[in-house]
Amino acid sequence: MKTKLTVNGRTHEVDADADTPLLWVLRDHLGLTGTKYGCGIARCGACTVHVDGRAVRSCRQELQTVAATAKITTIETLDQNARGKALQEAWIEHSVPQCGYCQSGFLMAATSLLERTPNPTDAQIDTAISNLCRCGTYPRMHAAIRSAARRLTTSEAP
Amino acid sequence: MSSNIRTPMDAAVNATTLTPNGEKPVTEVATQPSRRAFLTTGGTALVLGFVVPRLARAEGLANGIMTPEAASAAGVQLNAFVSIDTAGKVTLMSHRSEMGQGAYSVVPQILAEELEVDIATIAIVVAEGDPQKYGSQLTGGSSTVRGGITQLLKTGATARDMLVRAAATRWNVAPDTCKARLGQVTHTASGRTLGYGALVEDAAKLTPNKDVALKDRKDWTLIGKPIPRADTPLKVNGSARFGIDVRIPGMLFAVVERSPRFVGKVKSFDATKALLVPGVKHVVKTERDVFGKMREGVAVVATSTWAAIKGRRALVVEWDNTGIPEVSSASLTAALKTSLSSKPLNAKTKGDVAAALGATPAVDAIYETPYQAHACMEPINCTAHVTDTAAEIWGPVQAPDWNRGHLAGALKLPMEKVKVNMTFLGGGFGRKAFTDFPLEAALVSRAVKAPVQVVWTREDDLSVGPFRPGAIYHLRGALKDGKISAIEATMAAQNLMEQEPGDTPKKPNDNVTEGLAETYLEMVPNYQFGDVPLVSPVPVMWWRSVYSSTNSFAYESFLDEMARAAKMDPIAFRRQHFDSPRLHALVDKLESVSGWKDRKAGTGYGMSLTYCFSSWAAHVVKVSKAGTGIRIDKVWTVLDCGVAVNPDVIRQQVEGSIVMALGAAVTHEVTFAMGSAVKKNFDTYQLPRLRDIPPIEVHIMENGEPAGGVGEPGLPGLTPALTNAIYDLTGSRIRKLPFDLAKV
């Protein structure tokens, strides 16, 4: 089945079964391997992408449920989003990643959090982000998210 | 964001829209750069490598550090470990894998210390598997720094010395009147300088000096600094390529249905429906080698991972399970407990334990730990391309040299026809040192005559194994004058070395005391440590910190129980059992940073002291009551790893070890029923999440002791410190893992 899909500002025609999860379309059909497979049951968040600005776990989002008008953003263009870029910089500043495999998903989820809650408390971060990391990079994430939020709210101030 | 790291997949990094469906042609995959290939910025270069010490000794070479010319004259293989080109660019071969532990940053940091270059100018090239060139490439045992630091310092110093001598000759001055710093040699008196690039041609003609003096520790400018990791920028924008991201022109994707009973054989399979799934190209029987015995499976090979997964759902396999014991968690536990009453194979004994224990030991307790999965966030996978005459794999492997040897043997190919390329590893924890999954991918590729990426689903990853073995310990102890007078310890567990039906382990398992601060034993007059190995069809192997991960729960809980029996403070009780000033300094630090002496009512404090891969770790966990259960308020860890190369990377590793230990203590375990591991995913094998993590405060001891391990030593002591804290608060002793914090 041929489907039109807009990813990172480019429209692709994808030939994949209607039930193919968006994750595998991105990875195997479009070569966007920054989005990771972790569990296939939407529990770990390694596959998180943005669909119309909302964080979505792409391993359980079938191609047929993605609207033809949907705008999909992946980690590969996260730096074009001011919040995403601030988070990437904060992640570097706080040396968050270890193996790095799950970090795309965390950054996509954190960006989505800052869109809704520009200055989250630690408790709000804990509630909003339920992604999994096996290296245990969690202890640095609260500080990294808060420092990105600070930078953004300061730079947005008149 | 740029990076100085080049992995074998870098040519593909630019091919952002590649596909097996032919939407855009794929860039040719880069092969391992030859010496010539990475000397591209300038021309002639100074190249220095070292001959693997074992081979250097065999060849009678006094100093293993040589130029390629000298190596060629001596007829030995050199690894071109470091090279500097005429533009002054430094390239370092990384022969170990990067699995989260910061190898690509810490290794250059050590080299740059003696080479006197700006660390940011060092490019990393990831080496392929080649034991003749690099010796052991196993990234395990927390060995990257502690095993490599001396060689790295010597190699850097030897190269720097050659550059200084080349400059001195140019200026006609004595070498000791010149200084090297930040990629330049300066003649101190005249202020003349020359960059390394301008000196490499001359330097390359010199004979390396033997035993160039290394810097004094107080003169170090890089070692000991929290230099940011070079791989971080690649890991925040999706550009780091892991094994699962490998893309090869014409490649196919496969998933494999493996025997649920571990050692079951394929009796028959019906591929009819699987082959009807669009995209499925082949269904083939395959196998992989687990400790010398082949494990069977059926691979579904397709044009995409999803098509392969769907195809596998439609596949019907009939297994022959004749003669395979039908294990369950209950049967394994029962067998282990029965084992405890058998006569153990004693690894370490001293004095007369039976007499010292007498009829009523002070402590007599059994501690139980479960089987665990490694659960790397990047599931097991490997990409292979095997033809009749050659084999190449790309994958997240912890031991590229082992894979190369194993593949050559199994595929009956000469070594030089087998190429092993390491990618970034999305976690390893011991599992990816195993060579079963690359061989499986290679056999599937050979069968279908195409490059194939085999991906293990998360359910495969959590249910096929090998697992960390569950271990049960029986510990008895006696006290005399408030000190330990006897310890009798028996471990019942599958032995990692001899574990399968048909194996008959006869040798004692020396690892029965791994993790234990053995310094204690000098003070204990009577002891006996032994094991009773269990043989079962369940495959087992190393898991981060190996035996320490279970041993330490038993020993450090036991020591806490002994301290309580002696009516002593747990820290004061332990202090009686070692003399070492180094250990006393560690424990003093732990006591002071954790506020151990100022504990308030309503809080529980527990501690542990462990030794793992040449480093000491001491933990304090503080807990309090929360609802019907327990909340962990804080964790303090003090690590003594000798020379601390990069404190920030060390903190990362300790934080990660604590999180990994916490999950194994309180949330997840592998269970068995009807002969198989119970199928689990992250809904039933629950890892800790952000909200589950207590504040963690890590302190690193500063001393000049030899470098110890970092990746694992922080793990073993967390759990006993936690359960000891719970005892301190509630008086209830937890002797079985995992347990539920909400129901303590």
Side-chain angles (χ1 to χ4, degrees), chain B residues 532-555:
Chain B
V532 184
L534 177 76
V535 166
S536 110
V538 178
V540 292
M541 75 170 300
W542 316 314
W543 188 90
R544 194 175 191 174
S545 81
V546 198
Y547 287 100
S548 304
S549 76
T550 53
N551 287 359
S552 294
F553 171 62
Y555 294 135

Side-chain angles (χ1 to χ4, degrees), chain B residues 581-660:
Chain B
R582 184 178 175 183
L583 269 185
H584 278 283
L586 177 77
V587 171
D588 291 350
K589 177 92 174 175
L590 180 76
E591 190 177 54
S592 96
V593 298
S594 65
W596 179 269
K597 285 179 173 163
D598 308 316
R599 299 145 63 181
K600 306 259 183 318
T603 61
Y605 277 61
M607 65 85 65
S608 67
L609 173 65
T610 54
Y611 181 72
C612 172
F613 295 124
S614 304
S615 289
W616 296 91
H619 297 270
V620 164
V621 175
K622 180 190 170 201
V623 298
S624 57
K625 288 203 168 146
T628 56
I630 291 293
R631 177 180 60 233
I632 305 175
D633 296 317
K634 185 146 183 181
V635 176
W636 292 266
T637 303
V638 186
L639 181 75
D640 180 351
C641 60
V643 169
V645 175
N646 185 321
D648 195 49
V649 169
I650 293 169
R651 283 199 180 86
Q652 280 189 323
Q653 288 304 300
V654 174
E655 289 160 5
S657 294
I658 288 167
V659 173
M660 191 157 175

